[in-house]
Amino acid sequence: MLFELQEAMIAKIGQVPGVATCERYAGQLEESVRGLIKVPAVLLAYGEWRPETDPGTEQVDMALHGSLFVAVRNAKSQEARAQDVDALVEAILPTIRMERFGIDDVEPLQLDRVVPHYVLEKKGVGVREIRFRQSVRIGTSVWDGEGVTPSEIYVGYEPTSADDYDPVT
């Protein structure tokens, strides 16, 4: 399911005008300096996974904390790079805000913050990190028809006897 979510995110963000590369992050920021990936680029990375409350479905609710690294190249000046990367971030934010990416067991994406990264500034690459959080349900629900679904439910009332139940319709 997480691979499916990543693929859906990459496809959606890749349609944003101005994005030349959109893929999973695996250390490519340095490669953007050497010209090994096309910029402007958006690189998706998941960091921490935190368990959430039990949904009562036998699934595991996890809060995924992730980042989108947005990188642009502009040799003119630091100010020009900042303007270019901020413009691309502004185009991406409404595209991903509250997005489920077409997947049922995913809660809407919650934006956390946008953080500047100055590590590559001297090399002509401007980078912003969009941090987000998204809850996902992992596993199969007992209520989706693949388990035992109750066919009759009875309610008992106190202080009546244990044999005195009313069917719920």
Side-chain angles (χ1 to χ4, degrees), residues 33-53:
V33 174
R34 296 188 300 253
L36 299 177
I37 62 168
K38 290 178 98 177
V39 289
V42 180
L43 306 170
L44 169 64
Y46 283 116
E48 200 170 60
W49 298 19
R50 291 186 183 172
E52 294 194 312
T53 58

Side-chain angles (χ1 to χ4, degrees), residues 44-98:
L44 169 64
Y46 283 116
E48 200 170 60
W49 298 19
R50 291 186 183 172
E52 294 194 312
T53 58
D54 183 356
T57 62
E58 300 296 320
Q59 294 171 298
V60 178
D61 268 6
M62 296 298 288
L64 303 178
H65 295 261
S67 295
L68 294 170
F69 294 96
V70 181
V72 299
R73 188 173 189 68
N74 188 329
K76 292 179 188 173
S77 68
Q78 185 174 353
E79 183 179 333
R81 280 188 294 281
Q83 288 174 348
D84 289 352
V85 74
D86 289 344
L88 188 53
V89 166
E90 288 175 13
I92 292 169
L93 291 176
T95 303
I96 62 172
R97 181 186 165 274
M98 300 300 289

Side-chain angles (χ1 to χ4, degrees), residues 1 4-9 12 46 94-110 133-137:
M1 203 272 277
E4 179 185 356
L5 176 59
Q6 289 176 342
E7 289 295 309
M9 288 180 76
K12 179 96 174 175
Y46 283 116
T95 303
I96 62 172
R97 181 186 165 274
M98 300 300 289
E99 184 64 48
R100 293 175 188 247
F101 303 98
I103 301 173
D104 292 336
D105 288 332
V106 173
E107 294 297 317
L109 184 138
Q110 302 294 317
R133 176 187 173 283
Q134 193 159 26
S135 295
V136 299
R137 286 206 170 141

